[in-house]
Amino acid sequence: AQKVTQAQTEISVVEKEDVTLDCVYETRDTTYYLFWYKQPPSGELVFLIRRNSFDEQNEISGRYSWNFQKSTSSFNFTITASQVVDSAVYFCALSPRGSTGTASKLTFGTGTRLQVTL
Amino acid sequence: DTGVSQDPRHKITKRGQNVTFRCDPISEHNRLYWYRQTLGQGPEFLTYFQNEAQLEKSRLLSDRFSAERPKGSFSTLEIQRTEQGDSAMYLCASSQGANEQFFGPGTRLTVL
């Protein structure tokens, strides 16, 4: 069985602060994919990143960065210099990787609500 | 391409009625997924299709739920004899092979 744990239910920061959202996962699969999605107040889930389990390189995209550590089964997400527009619920998700390299169903965590204020 | 669309966006029904939701994926995406999301929770997987074939169904999907994807394009999700516990946001997503899933705006179901 697969499981994703996002222990932080809600985080509040002041604009321009850095913030890290934690994600810990459990799986018996040897290969898998990890994802982060953003759900703004409008409700539609927005894809942020996909990471393959055998690629442990950290990734940076603008103010966003991701730290994948297989040894601790964690895939944390950091927003640098947060902005009010970053306010949303952020979900970490896990998918098995099929023999042909395909991802399939996503198992989501319960999400972390980020509130960024002025 | 306008993304994944879902219809209706909101549905209010009385307990015991049948409801049907429609999802139009991004064109040429061969995979289509249905998820359900309740307040304060992450989406939960229900079922998915590759083209017209339904490849997997969650144990969450009781016999009252049925999904179809005729001709491998749009999909419908039907709930028969709705119960109050079926109240949730029903999300559809599509992807091309191993790529990331793109989600629609969802259909919010309220069962009175």
Side-chain angles (χ1 to χ4, degrees):
Chain A
Q2 302 197 321
K3 184 178 179 182
V4 176
T5 301
Q6 295 180 254
Q8 303 153 308
T9 304
E10 191 161 347
I11 300 176
S12 291
V13 298
V14 176
E15 200 174 43
K16 298 183 184 175
E17 284 185 15
D18 298 348
V19 57
T20 295
L21 309 181
D22 297 333
C23 173
V24 174
Y25 62 92
E26 296 173 33
T27 180
R28 278 180 266 186
D29 295 319
T30 53
T31 56
Y32 46 90
Y33 290 106
L34 292 162
F35 300 80
W36 276 93
Y37 280 84
K38 174 182 180 180
Q39 190 170 43
S42 61
E44 195 158 332
L45 281 158
V46 176
F47 167 80
L48 296 178
I49 190 172
R50 181 188 69 169
R51 171 62 69 209
N52 193 319
S53 59
F54 45 78
D55 179 5
E56 288 195 67
Q57 279 192 334
N58 291 331
E59 182 155 343
I60 298 174
S61 175
R63 295 184 297 107
Y64 295 169
S65 63
W66 290 270
N67 182 293
F68 175 34
Q69 293 197 353
K70 207 168 181 178
S71 60
T72 56
S73 298
S74 65
F75 186 43
N76 297 337
F77 172 32
T78 297
I79 302 174
T80 302
S82 59
Q83 299 176 2
V84 172
V85 294
D86 296 327
S87 297
V89 180
Y90 290 86
F91 290 98
C92 181
L94 171 66
S95 169
R97 183 177 184 272
S99 57
T100 57
T102 55
S104 61
K105 64 180 182 182
L106 296 172
T107 298
F108 285 85
T110 51
T112 297
R113 180 176 298 278
L114 175 64
Q115 185 72 39
V116 182
T117 56
L118 293 170
Chain B
D1 194 353
T2 57
V4 179
S5 61
Q6 293 188 243
D7 183 68
R9 296 290 306 275
H10 303 273
K11 179 70 178 179
I12 300 173
T13 191
K14 292 182 179 178
R15 190 176 51 186
Q17 298 294 305
N18 299 344
V19 294
T20 300
F21 310 141
R22 177 181 170 121
C23 171
D24 287 90
I26 293 172
S27 57
E28 297 179 1
H29 275 192
N30 62 347
R31 288 196 172 192
L32 187 150
Y33 301 78
W34 286 99
Y35 294 85
R36 180 171 65 188
Q37 185 177 21
T38 53
L39 201 62
Q41 300 296 315
E44 293 177 300
F45 169 77
L46 294 178
T47 187
Y48 87 95
F49 295 82
Q50 180 159 301
N51 300 313
E52 63 273 10
Q54 189 172 20
L55 296 189
E56 188 172 348
K57 289 169 59 172
S58 166
R59 277 169 281 180
L60 290 175
L61 215 62
S62 78
D63 292 343
R64 298 183 297 105
F65 287 70
S66 62
E68 294 182 341
R69 193 184 182 196
K71 303 177 183 177
S73 55
F74 72 92
S75 175
T76 57
L77 177 68
E78 182 184 16
I79 309 174
Q80 296 183 326
R81 304 180 304 282
T82 52
E83 302 172 355
Q84 287 185 325
D86 297 331
S87 295
M89 178 74 85
Y90 289 83
L91 298 169
C92 177
S94 70
S95 71
Q96 179 60 33
N99 294 332
E100 60 271 16
Q101 295 176 28
F102 292 91
F103 282 80
T107 294
R108 181 169 296 283
L109 173 66
T110 302
V111 182
L112 301 175

